[in-house]
Amino acid sequence: MALVGKLLKILPGPIRSVLIRHRALLKFLMVGGVCFIATVVVNYSLKLTILSTKPLTALIIATLVATILSYVLNREWSFRSRGGRERRHEAALFFAVSGLAAGLNAVPLYVSRYLLGLQAPAVSLLTQEVADFISSIILGTLVAMVFRWWALKKWVFPDEVERPRRPEPAAEKTHR
């Protein structure tokens, strides 16, 4: 809360009020940013070393690592006030949704590499890597993110959980 609170304090009033109304989305996007960085680091660590000939495999492994991180951060921060399901059921739904999202994330790379043929030796190595980055890391991530936001709110963390309210101070009695 402290990070989001500090961020909100420095923004102009109209923007602040919109973000406060969409607080869960802001948190979701911040978690997504962290997971995006994790995906890029793991993907390129694998792709530039042991999986240099298997870019799709590298992307899927990176996505799985980021998905585990995403569950923990979303459960404990972004959607903390939503849910109410048993944890095992919630986790199973989360990973099912994330599995579908991982598939959606891989589709643009598959199209780029194997349907459009944007891979060496048909194109230069630089063209291949730029096409991979745009298709998998940018386009694939955006498609998967939109799907995850919708599916997590609809199925995994569907309802707002009532938080216990603080007792209101007792009104002072007036004597007549």
Side-chain angles (χ1 to χ4, degrees):
M1 174 63 181
L3 178 63
V4 174
K6 287 179 184 177
L7 177 65
L8 290 173
K9 283 183 182 180
I10 63 172
L11 295 172
I15 294 172
R16 184 180 326 123
S17 65
V18 168
L19 291 177
I20 287 172
R21 276 183 284 160
H22 301 289
R23 189 175 336 192
L25 177 60
L26 179 61
K27 289 179 179 182
F28 176 80
L29 293 173
M30 291 172 75
V31 168
V34 168
C35 293
F36 175 80
I37 292 168
T39 302
V40 170
V41 168
V42 173
N43 181 51
Y44 280 101
S45 295
L46 293 172
K47 188 176 172 183
L48 297 175
T49 58
I50 61 175
L51 293 175
S52 60
T53 61
K54 299 185 184 286
L56 202 55
T57 304
L59 177 64
I60 290 170
I61 291 170
T63 303
L64 289 173
V65 169
T67 298
I68 294 167
L69 179 61
S70 176
Y71 175 69
V72 172
L73 294 175
N74 277 307
R75 167 71 261 146
E76 300 302 323
W77 193 49
S78 302
F79 295 105
R80 185 178 65 220
S81 65
R82 296 180 69 95
R85 296 184 191 278
E86 190 176 308
R87 287 287 168 120
R88 291 179 299 165
H89 186 229
E90 180 183 88
L93 285 171
F94 184 91
F95 288 107
V97 164
S98 294
L100 290 171
L104 289 172
N105 197 14
V107 168
L109 177 61
Y110 180 84
V111 169
S112 173
R113 275 281 178 124
Y114 305 113
L115 296 181
L116 298 177
L118 296 175
Q119 61 181 329
V123 297
S124 71
L125 188 58
L126 177 62
T127 301
Q128 171 187 293
E129 293 307 313
V130 169
D132 283 0
F133 185 81
I134 291 169
S135 64
S136 65
I137 301 299
I138 295 180
L139 186 57
T141 299
L142 286 172
V143 169
M145 180 186 66
V146 169
F147 171 74
R148 274 189 185 106
W149 173 250
W150 171 76
L152 291 179
K153 284 185 71 172
K154 182 163 181 69
W155 292 310
V156 181
F157 308 112
D159 300 316
E160 292 283 340
V161 176
E162 281 293 320
R163 290 184 177 182
R165 294 183 183 207
R166 294 180 186 171
E168 294 190 25
E172 291 183 30
K173 295 181 180 178
T174 55
H175 298 291
R176 293 187 195 199

